[in-house]
Amino acid sequence: MTSASASPPVSQTSPPGLAHGRGIRLPSSVLGVLGIVGFLATWELVVRSGLVEAEYLPAASTVVREMVEMAGTSEFWAALGRTVRTWAIGLAIAASAAVVIGLVIGPSRFLRRATHSTIEFLRPIPSVALIPLAVLLYGTSMQATLLLVVYAAFWQVLIQVLYGVGDVDPVASDTARSFRLGGLARIRYLTWPTALPYVMTGLRLGAAVALILTVTGELVIGGGGIGTEIALAQSGGAVPQMYALVVVAGLIGVVVNLVARVVERRALHWHVSVRREAL
Amino acid sequence: MRRITKVATAAAALTLLAACGGGGDDDTSGGGPDDVKVGVIPIVDTAPIWLGKEKGFFDDEDINLEIVTTTGGAAAVPGVVSGDFDFAFGNVVSLMVGAEQGLPLQFVTNGTSSAGVDPDFGAVLVPEDSPIQSPADLAGKTVSVNNLKNIGDTTIRAAIEKDGGDPEDVKFVEVPFPDAPAALTKKQVDAIWVLEPFMSAALADGARVVTYNYLDMSPKLDIAGYFTTKQYIGENEDLVERFTRAMNKSLEYAGENDDEVRDIVGTYTKIDEPTRAKMVLPVFRPEFDEPSMEQLGAAAVEFGTLEDEPDLDALLP
């Protein structure tokens, strides 16, 4: 397949093995940066051309300038720290609870059937609908936001753990039985290694969901953090600052995803999917 | 394998830590000052309490004041009822509705009142070229308010009726104050109801005032105050008295010092300096005006926000 783009001048000494009929191969980090630059340029153009009024959506350059200014204030870093802390604690609670419960329910057919309908009933309940309950229980403290975060992230991880536990190879399972492995040994040498790739996927999904709910909780309930700062900027009519904070929330999401991928590769360095990537 | 065990142990430890860190009770027994937690919305209306804290009026009463900002008014009533806040800032109609639902709430001091003269700090606005000239013209039109079945739509309906229009024939939609000026520019609604600083912003964009709905009801209209539960008042008589004294002193001081109010607003909101310098301020005064509150209660009943006339004796300090 030849690429449809006008082929840029490629050096004639391209190494063998890369000649798959593509123009040039850029490392993904460069492509990522290009994507961001393209997005910012589009945004700038949309505002400058008057498609939307700058009053309601400031130009990208204005927002970036605002971000640089914000980075010089201690309040911003305090808010950022608060958001990251709430996210981390929430994800840790949700993930550890989901792993433990998943390992208990997963191997037992009886428990799986007994809990299946309950899980399917509770899982789609939007966390945001629990805000009034959270405020009643914990006021406007960090715990109220944590309740939302834990609730949302817990199901993401639990479902993956249950799939993972269900994926145990029956031959391996029979082998473990004939070797008379005890309960803990079974989990350690059989269930856990099988479920780990699923758990990591669950963690990555849960990490993103936890971040969304952290910012949402701070925005609606209050109690400090990037979300509360967004609400404050909004209620004070500080539009550029509001967008700067929204972009910051997006950047946290990018970092969270990168970290989750690194953790995944580290934890699964022995697993076939990662080994194939790392060739 | 060992690393994973470590991670799991750390996660479990975090879980325990988080579980232990919950629900601190702030009972101060002994000789120190009393901790008081007040929930407020970070808007111009709550300037007096911030100013009073800065001026030391609460320290003078041996109160260690913690102001907690809630992003919406929705957290105020549950916060007080659950005991998370000792007091909170809430608007009069919200409290009338709460009392009707059987919540034992009571104001301890006033909070914000209509500016009492033209211009007030909130208004119904239309685009410059709109055919709407007076409140009666709003009949058959769509008007945005920040909350349905609250002080905004109740006072606007009353203004339409006073002007000879049909108060039932108007459609209210919920649009938050910050988004309302854009909704008006985009002609998504026929008119908007906004308070400062968004009123100034919309006027600068070429909007026109149809009416100041608070002023239409009464130049002395009280809009919001600081409240708590009757139970709390019964259990902490002395503290409530001291808080009331400090709060009233703050209201008086804020009422007399406009410039300091404009300055303090900059510390807890993100309203920029030029806007703060020119925005219309509400009136801050300690005493409630009962006749105007009776009017408001009657209007709330007439337009279906309330079932029965509110019991003001139970609601007011």
Side-chain angles (χ1 to χ4, degrees), chain A residues 33-48:
Chain A
V33 171
L34 274 180
I36 290 173
V37 170
F39 170 73
L40 288 176
T42 313
W43 177 0
E44 188 81 12
L45 278 174
V46 163
V47 178
R48 296 256 176 230

Side-chain angles (χ1 to χ4, degrees), chain A residues 79-105:
Chain A
L80 184 68
R82 209 186 158 86
T83 298
V84 171
R85 198 181 60 182
T86 307
W87 166 81
I89 295 175
L91 184 62
I93 295 172
S96 35
V99 166
V100 171
I101 291 170
L103 287 176
V104 170
I105 295 176

